[in-house]
Amino acid sequence: QVQFVESGGGLVQPGGSLRLSCSASGSISAYGMGWYRQAPGKQRELVAAISRASTQTIYKDSVKGRFTIFRDNAKNTVALQMNSLKPEDTADYYCNTSPSPLDWGQGTQVTVSS
């Protein structure tokens, strides 16, 4: 089964930017892919998703216009560019297939705070 390793998180001030990266252990070309997040005390939620050939993307309403999801099937990677970050974006971020996630990776922590 494909496994995912996320990176790129960190501490950033409100209004700042981060780019998250996800590397898969196998081919992702057959899967829709997504970035999910889980804030403390809350359920994991889908933030952004991208179709197999990058022809369609969807975003959670609260991140529309601020986040952009990318994928590179040749490199088996998925990225999430996050701009204009807000404190409410603070969470652990995970990439996985979408829909129907496979096993979860360790995620990468994003903290938005002044």
Side-chain angles (χ1 to χ4, degrees), residues 15-42:
S17 298
L18 282 175
R19 186 178 179 97
L20 306 183
S21 297
C22 171
S23 179
S25 62
S27 176
I28 61 170
S29 60
Y31 301 101
M33 293 297 300
W35 279 95
Y36 302 76
R37 70 185 180 189
Q38 186 168 21
K42 295 188 177 181

Side-chain angles (χ1 to χ4, degrees), residues 26-31 33 51-54 71-78:
S27 176
I28 61 170
S29 60
Y31 301 101
M33 293 297 300
S51 61
R52 289 176 293 178
S54 301
R71 67 186 293 162
D72 185 334
N73 288 341
K75 297 181 179 179
N76 296 316
T77 58
V78 186

